[in-house]
Amino acid sequence: MLMAGTSLEILSINVWHVLMAIGNLLILVLILKKFLFKPVQNILKQREEEVGKIYSDADEALSKANEDKALYEQKLMDAKSEADSLIKLASEQAKRESGDIVSAARKEAERRLKNADDDIELAKKKAAEDMMDSISDMVIDLAEKVVEKEIDKDSHSALIDDAINRLGDSL
Amino acid sequence: MEIEVTGAKILFELPFGITITETQVNMWIVMAVIAGLCIWLTHDLKVKPTSKRQIVAEFLVKTAQNFVEGNMGKRFAFFTPYIAALFSLALGCCFVSLLGMYPPTSDLNTTLGWAAITFVLITFYKFKTNGLGGYLKGLTEPIFIMAPMNVIGEFSTPISMAFRMFGNVVSGSIISALVYAALASANSALFGWLPGFLGEWANNYPILQLGLPAVLSLYFDIFSSVLQSFIFCMLTMLYIKSAAEVE
Amino acid sequence: MERALVLMGCAIGAGLSMIAGIGPGIGEGYAVGKACEAIARQPEQKSSVTTTMLMGCAVAETTGLYGFIMGLLLILLAPGMFLKKL
């Protein structure tokens, strides 16, 4: 009855054909799993991973940028304070140096003033001595001229010296 | 006009009484086409889709996943390839008739085989959720006298599924054949009396067969087959899901 | 005579088996009418209502298909089966 070229009845049940239908369906399940679902799901997973990576990279970059910003702000603050301290230091040094210079100048001036005073004193002394000499001579001459031999140099020298000394003291 | 309604032609004979009919050969053709389509759609996938092919492949996969997860829940997401294979094979086997080939779904063995898988899955999940005792106890509800009816009910599920698909496709092809035959006889009745070569020509080339069978084929081969494939998958999913629910 | 009787019985049985078409016809018409009402009430649920309706129609069609298959058996298989015994 089942010969090549003939047809099956329209409602016939053949166990082999049922099993073949089941097998065909299961084979197609495997084919679809292997050739359609697995590659596409792999791709979808890869895409998800990539998107996740992009997000995490962005987060990382953002946090790094924030870190950098904080670092730069810190550095800026440091630089500012350093500059402040430098300026302070410099101004202090300048103040100190200027004080030094001023005091040195003052000292020099004082020294010079003192020298000048000494010179003046010396000159005064010298002048006074010269004057004393010349005055004593002049007084003697004057007195000789005034008294004309009335005054003996030797006898009156004590008196004259006394007068000169008084003169010198008043100078 | 002879109208012959037969099953699949037997093409080869193998030992042990195994025969290869048009059903199997056409099903293998459909499977090869589906496999080739899958390989073509996925042959060079990229993370950044550049081709329409890849977008179509991703759309198909996502649609199948959403369909299965929407009807069965996330727990049964691993059923997606099975449902997709069932749907594509049923659809392809019905669409074969558009090319004038013998549709494998109009062979009862095919639909019976697919329904048997569904039956095995339903029974497996009933055992898994309720255990053997619970399953047997469920058969005797509401009272033990109803047990034979319940057993028949268990078996009627796959049989009704198989006969639904088979009946739809076969009724379509039988009605198409009847309409073809009717149009041929109407043609010879209308134009066959013409003298000379005109009558012969009209008998040999029945022009009335041009219009109506196309409309019928639109309904029976496309609408009905899509609907029946969809319903076969839907019923499989719903039965399995309800079998796995704890009562 | 017996052959004629067998064939007659098969043909009448096949014709009667298509009475089963009444049930699905009424049932599906009722289902589609209810679905139209549902869509009119909630147009935003149109797709899910349509899907459910088609499912229900297909399930309701089953008994009609049983009748069709009985008719098929009676016309295509039963005459051969019974006539062989005569």
Side-chain angles (χ1 to χ4, degrees):
Chain A
M1 186 187 168
L2 294 175
M3 284 198 312
T6 59
S7 290
L8 292 173
E9 297 281 355
I10 193 160
L11 264 173
S12 60
I13 293 177
N14 185 323
V15 178
W16 290 114
H17 292 172
V18 173
L19 289 178
M20 270 190 249
I22 294 174
N24 283 347
L25 181 56
L26 295 181
I27 289 168
L28 191 69
V29 171
L30 292 181
I31 288 173
L32 278 191
K33 218 184 220 173
K34 177 136 176 45
F35 290 117
L36 182 64
F37 280 86
K38 209 170 263 176
V40 171
Q41 275 166 348
N42 276 347
I43 280 290
L44 290 179
K45 201 179 277 176
Q46 273 177 31
R47 183 176 305 156
E48 212 163 272
E49 275 169 10
E50 197 156 293
V51 168
K53 204 171 138 256
I54 286 170
Y55 269 111
S56 66
D57 279 1
D59 282 349
E60 210 170 283
L62 194 68
S63 65
K64 196 157 178 290
N66 279 336
E67 253 172 41
D68 282 358
K69 201 179 156 202
L71 198 69
Y72 286 134
E73 272 175 5
Q74 183 67 38
K75 270 188 185 166
L76 207 64
M77 293 273 272
D78 283 0
K80 213 178 252 178
S81 65
E82 202 173 341
D84 277 354
S85 68
L86 270 180
I87 287 169
K88 214 186 225 171
L89 206 69
S91 68
E92 264 173 20
Q93 201 171 348
K95 221 177 255 176
R96 208 167 49 232
E97 273 178 13
S98 71
D100 281 359
I101 289 169
V102 166
S103 63
R106 193 170 283 158
K107 222 177 260 170
E108 177 73 15
E110 272 173 9
R111 193 177 60 79
R112 284 202 185 161
L113 211 58
K114 206 175 164 224
N115 276 358
D117 278 354
D118 285 355
D119 281 355
I120 289 167
E121 202 74 32
L122 211 64
K124 216 193 251 177
K125 231 178 226 168
K126 210 176 171 186
E129 273 174 14
D130 284 354
M131 215 191 277
M132 216 149 42
D133 282 352
S134 58
I135 284 172
S136 69
D137 283 350
M138 216 163 43
V139 166
I140 291 167
D141 283 348
L142 209 57
E144 270 177 358
K145 265 174 194 165
V146 171
V147 276
E148 275 200 54
K149 288 178 188 158
E150 265 178 46
I151 303 164
D152 184 15
K153 202 178 179 175
D154 298 326
S155 58
H156 298 287
S157 63
L159 187 72
I160 291 161
D161 280 344
D162 187 44
I164 289 165
N165 274 346
R166 249 185 286 150
L167 199 71
D169 283 344
S170 73
L171 273 173
Chain B
M1 191 84 202
E2 281 276 319
I3 304 168
E4 219 177 321
V5 181
T6 55
K9 270 200 199 88
I10 297 169
L11 297 178
F12 307 107
E13 282 179 87
L14 299 177
F16 307 113
I18 305 172
T19 48
I20 303 293
T21 63
E22 278 179 301
T23 308
Q24 276 74 43
V25 173
N26 288 356
M27 217 194 287
W28 289 333
I29 292 170
V30 170
M31 283 164 66
V33 169
I34 292 172
L37 208 63
C38 288
I39 294 170
W40 179 72
L41 279 175
T42 61
H43 79 262
D44 106 80
L45 293 175
K46 294 191 188 80
V47 175
K48 278 184 190 165
T50 50
S51 58
K52 275 183 188 162
R53 240 182 22 237
Q54 181 173 355
I55 293 168
V56 170
E58 284 175 13
F59 171 76
L60 288 177
V61 170
K62 279 186 182 167
T63 309
Q65 279 174 342
N66 288 341
F67 184 56
V68 174
E69 284 177 15
N71 282 307
M72 297 174 85
K74 278 241 185 286
R75 190 155 69 101
F76 287 112
F78 63 92
F79 263 104
T80 311
Y82 173 67
I83 299 294
L86 185 59
F87 186 72
S88 55
L89 192 57
L91 206 60
C93 287
C94 292
F95 278 174
V96 161
S97 65
L98 284 175
L99 303 173
M101 291 151 85
Y102 177 82
T105 38
S106 72
D107 188 337
L108 183 59
N109 299 313
T110 311
T111 53
L112 210 57
W114 298 346
I117 298 180
T118 304
F119 176 69
V120 169
L121 287 171
I122 292 171
T123 315
F124 170 73
Y125 276 105
K126 274 187 179 165
F127 276 162
K128 205 180 166 191
T129 36
N130 300 326
L132 184 59
Y135 179 70
L136 292 178
K137 191 165 166 284
L139 286 179
T140 59
E141 279 176 1
I143 47 168
F144 67 94
I145 302 170
M146 295 293 281
M149 298 296 282
N150 282 326
V151 172
I152 291 173
E154 287 289 310
F155 283 101
S156 80
T157 302
I159 288 173
S160 78
M161 279 173 79
F163 274 107
R164 183 177 301 124
M165 186 114 192
F166 164 77
N168 268 285
V169 179
V170 165
S171 67
S173 54
I174 286 178
I175 291 171
S176 292
L178 287 175
V179 168
Y180 255 101
L183 286 174
S185 26
N187 198 65
S188 57
L190 278 176
F191 304 113
W193 54 269
L194 288 170
F197 70 93
L198 274 177
E200 232 172 86
W201 188 78
N203 274 330
N204 287 340
Y205 303 99
I207 52 167
L208 280 184
Q209 284 184 355
L210 278 180
L212 192 55
V215 179
L216 282 178
S217 150
L218 207 66
Y219 176 77
F220 285 117
D221 290 342
I222 296 180
F223 175 74
S224 183
S225 51
V226 171
L227 192 60
Q228 291 307 317
S229 312
F230 175 74
I231 282 161
F232 201 95
C233 299
M234 199 78 182
L235 285 178
T236 302
M237 288 191 292
L238 294 182
Y239 280 135
I240 291 171
K241 189 190 165 206
S242 63
E245 271 167 3
V246 181
E247 284 159 17
Chain C
M1 185 64 193
E2 282 166 330
R3 286 178 61 88
L5 266 179
V6 166
L7 288 176
M8 187 188 77
C10 287
I12 290 175
L16 287 179
S17 75
M18 288 320 286
I19 293 173
I22 295 173
I26 295 172
E28 283 179 29
Y30 193 69
V32 175
K34 283 289 179 190
C36 284
E37 278 178 26
I39 292 172
R41 207 180 302 126
Q42 285 175 302
E44 71 276 2
Q45 293 287 324
K46 189 180 175 202
S47 61
S48 74
V49 169
T50 311
T51 312
T52 315
M53 180 199 79
L54 286 177
M55 278 284 304
C57 283
V59 175
E61 221 171 39
T62 313
T63 50
L65 285 170
Y66 288 164
F68 165 75
I69 286 162
M70 285 303 128
L72 218 59
L73 283 171
L74 282 171
I75 285 203
L76 296 171
L77 293 183
M81 228 168 78
F82 291 126
L83 290 179
K84 215 182 280 173
K85 287 181 185 169
L86 289 176

